[in-house]
């Protein structure tokens, strides 16, 4: 029996994690559930899963939940989130917080020697050097939940990591695959939110449409698997059946395939090194018919190139890129920035960024703050 805490339990990954727990009551119990503001759904989750702790951002919401569920201890705010991350009662902390907000709880969970199932890629984009150093110092494993990284992780099992030649991350290409810059000038958030294959939250779906998501995943892979940026390739694979691959020195390539359903990588992280059976329809390759591949269009989708550039530059460039991207994705979702403004602003923020120490939490938080401010300023001038 494993005890699971879920940071970000009301989001897409959080709710799917709870579905797996619901289907496997003999294997898992819920230790803590946290969310930012979806009080109604959190209340339903507390009612069903009876966690020891629950955390919600607002003090007022926490008060109401504490009254409704006297058996659950309810905390609020950032301190509450850190408390849940550090709690020694959890065997695995699933971090599915959205954005940079996931970094600090990951850091505290690692310091408290908790195994992390990481769905929050921004943690590694913004603070990869610090996070991997902290994990190593505390002897803690970070299990990937992101489907590509889970595929790489699965394709590494039983092989010598020193013999890896390169990683090949697959990308669906998102809803605008095949379009040119000119055609993307006036696209709206609603169009970008229609992902062809994956059912995900709004932030990651917009990032998929700009290919920033793939850029971030290159950074995530760089840290998780300790691979240099130039040994991580990206190939567009619109069917999303091969979730990523590992090439070895003898040119053998190992891949992990499956229906595009986040429950597969989530359950691999929860069960690792075991596999958890489920009742999902099996992959039918005759129905899929064919698997196709193409090179990413880095000129139209400049965010991927910018992410690689920031990763090569090192320091806190990826922190700045991530921060500015959060500002711009928020603005695009609100309708106050165009699709092509996103890379435009990001490039300017990177150009102006004064890099700091990527192994120091305060310097990462400072880089994040500055890049947000400079993106907001550029946004107001659009
Ligand atoms: Mg992914």
């Amino acid at each position: 029996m494993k005890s699971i805490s879920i940071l970000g339990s009301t989001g897409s990954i959080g709710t799917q994690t709870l579905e797996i727990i619901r289907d496997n009551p003999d294997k898992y119990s819920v230790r803590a559930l946290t969310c930012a503001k979806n009080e109604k759904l959190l209340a339903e989750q507390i009612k069903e899963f009876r966690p020891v702790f629950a955390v919600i951002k607002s003090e007022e919401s926490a008060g109401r939940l504490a009254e409704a569920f006297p058996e659950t201890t309810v905390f609020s705010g950032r301190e509450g989130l850190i408390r849940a991350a550090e709690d020694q009662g959890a065997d695995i902390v699933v971090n599915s917080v959205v954005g940079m907000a996931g970094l600090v709880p990951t850091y505290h969970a690692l310091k408290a020697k908790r195994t992390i199932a990481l769905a929050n890629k921004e943690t590694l984009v913004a603070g990869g050097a610090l996070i991997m150093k902290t994990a190593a110092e505390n002897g803690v494993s970070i299990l990937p939940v992101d489907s590509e990284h889970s595929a790489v992780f699965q394709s590494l099992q039983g092989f010598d990591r020193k013999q890896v030649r390169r990683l090949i991350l697959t990308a669906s290409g998102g809803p605008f695959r095949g379009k040119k810059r000119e055609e993307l000038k006036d696209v709206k958030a609603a169009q970008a939110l229609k992902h062809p294959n994956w059912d995900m939250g709004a932030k990651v779906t917009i990032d998929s449409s700009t290919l920033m998501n793939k850029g971030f995943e290159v950074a995530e892979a760089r840290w998780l698997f300790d691979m240099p940026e130039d040994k991580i390739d990206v190939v567009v694979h619109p069917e999303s059946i091969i979730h990523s691959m590992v090439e070895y020195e003898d040119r053998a390539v190992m891949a992990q395939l499956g229906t595009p359903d986040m429950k597969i990588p989530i359950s691999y992280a929860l069960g690792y090194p075991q596999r958890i059976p489920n009742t999902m329809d099996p992959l039918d390759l005759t129905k899929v018919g064919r698997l196709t591949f193409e090179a990413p269009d880095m000129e139209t989708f400049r965010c991927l190139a910018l992410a690689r550039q920031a990763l090569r530059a090192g320091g806190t460039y990826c922190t700045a890129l991530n921060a500015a991207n959060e500002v711009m994705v928020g603005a695009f979702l609100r309708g106050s920035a165009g699709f092509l403004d996103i890379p435009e602003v990001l490039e300017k923020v990177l150009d102006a960024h004064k890099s700091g120490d990527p192994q120091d939490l305060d310097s990462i938080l400072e880089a994040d703050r500055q890049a947000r401010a400079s993106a907001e300023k550029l946004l107001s001038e659009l």
Side-chain angles (χ1 to χ4, degrees):
M1 192 90 174
K2 284 184 195 169
S3 169
I4 313 290
S5 288
I6 306 173
L7 313 183
S9 67
T10 57
S12 172
I13 298 291
T15 51
Q16 294 183 76
T17 305
L18 285 171
E19 283 175 41
I20 296 166
I21 294 174
R22 178 186 295 129
D23 292 342
N24 294 276
D26 53 322
K27 294 189 181 74
Y28 302 105
S29 65
V30 176
R31 177 77 185 174
L33 296 174
T34 88
C35 82
K37 46 182 189 274
N38 194 340
E39 183 184 331
K40 185 166 173 280
L41 183 53
L42 184 62
E44 285 168 27
Q45 293 178 342
I46 296 172
K47 192 170 174 210
E48 178 177 357
F49 294 96
R50 302 270 161 205
V52 179
F53 297 109
V55 182
I56 190 158
K57 201 169 181 182
S58 107
E59 225 171 286
E60 216 188 324
S61 299
R64 275 194 294 268
L65 291 170
E67 207 165 301
F69 303 101
E71 282 161 32
T72 296
T73 308
V74 186
F75 297 113
S76 64
R78 201 177 122 110
E79 297 72 34
L81 185 59
I82 291 172
R83 222 164 160 151
E86 287 175 337
D87 170 41
Q88 296 293 316
D91 297 307
I92 300 178
V93 176
V94 176
N95 183 347
S96 49
V97 170
V98 176
M100 173 69 181
L103 176 83
V104 170
T106 304
Y107 176 73
H108 286 279
L110 292 172
K111 288 219 146 205
K113 302 191 195 301
R114 297 301 89 198
T115 298
I116 307 253
L118 189 66
N120 172 267
K121 68 190 75 185
E122 292 88 346
T123 286
L124 289 175
V125 174
L130 169 71
I131 290 299
M132 296 318 287
K133 183 180 84 136
T134 310
E137 281 169 2
N138 290 282
V140 184
S141 311
I142 300 180
L143 301 164
V145 170
D146 208 348
S147 62
E148 293 78 1
H149 306 77
S150 177
V152 167
F153 185 52
Q154 294 181 56
S155 302
L156 287 167
Q157 300 301 315
F159 297 100
D160 184 350
R161 289 199 184 198
K162 289 195 285 294
Q163 293 201 300
V164 172
R165 194 167 171 272
R166 77 185 156 129
L167 308 181
I168 306 163
L169 303 183
T170 54
S172 69
F176 303 137
R177 182 177 61 87
K179 296 249 188 297
K180 291 292 163 205
R181 277 178 68 79
E182 198 47 33
E183 300 169 82
L184 294 174
K185 235 174 36 208
D186 300 318
V187 296
K188 296 281 174 280
Q191 295 162 272
L193 286 169
K194 285 195 189 104
H195 197 279
N197 303 335
W198 293 98
D199 177 12
M200 307 177 290
K203 163 72 166 52
V204 62
T205 306
I206 300 299
D207 284 343
S208 293
S209 75
T210 62
L211 289 202
M212 181 54 91
N213 183 54
K214 212 47 57 177
F216 284 169
E217 288 179 353
V218 171
E220 192 183 359
R222 183 261 170 270
W223 295 111
L224 273 178
F225 307 113
D226 193 21
M227 287 293 283
E229 179 268 342
D230 61 353
K231 288 190 170 180
I232 306 167
D233 284 351
V234 170
V235 61
V236 174
H237 166 46
E239 296 81 13
S240 296
I241 296 297
I242 297 182
H243 300 309
S244 280
M245 297 167 259
V246 178
E247 182 183 69
Y248 290 90
E249 283 175 347
D250 61 356
R251 281 16 175 206
V253 177
M254 303 305 293
Q256 184 255 329
L257 286 74
T259 309
D261 189 317
M262 284 309 296
K263 275 199 226 140
I264 299 176
I266 297 168
S267 69
Y268 190 71
L270 292 187
Y272 179 77
Q274 300 295 317
R275 287 184 183 273
I276 309 169
N278 65 39
T279 54
M280 208 180 281
D281 285 341
L283 173 63
D284 183 347
L285 284 172
T286 63
K287 271 195 193 137
V288 177
R290 67 183 66 209
L291 301 180
T292 61
F293 306 91
E294 60 196 60
D297 174 354
M298 308 267 278
E299 245 155 73
T300 304
F301 300 97
R302 282 170 57 221
C303 288
L304 176 54
L306 289 171
R308 283 192 177 278
Q309 188 189 316
L311 192 53
R312 283 195 300 270
T316 50
Y317 279 97
C318 279
T319 315
L321 181 70
N322 175 69
N325 184 61
E326 284 188 22
V327 171
M328 291 309 292
V329 169
F332 177 64
L333 283 168
R334 290 193 307 273
S336 49
F339 189 77
L340 297 177
D341 293 331
I342 300 174
E344 208 65 40
V345 167
L346 299 187
E347 187 163 28
K348 286 181 184 153
V349 171
L350 283 182
D351 284 346
H353 182 60
K354 306 243 182 316
S355 185
D357 177 1
Q359 294 201 347
D360 175 65
L361 183 59
D362 289 335
S363 115
I364 292 168
L365 296 175
E366 179 57 20
D368 176 81
R369 200 189 58 73
Q370 283 189 7
R372 269 171 214 274
S374 87
E376 295 282 5
K377 183 161 181 293
L378 290 161
L379 183 61
S380 71
E381 291 161 4
L382 280 179

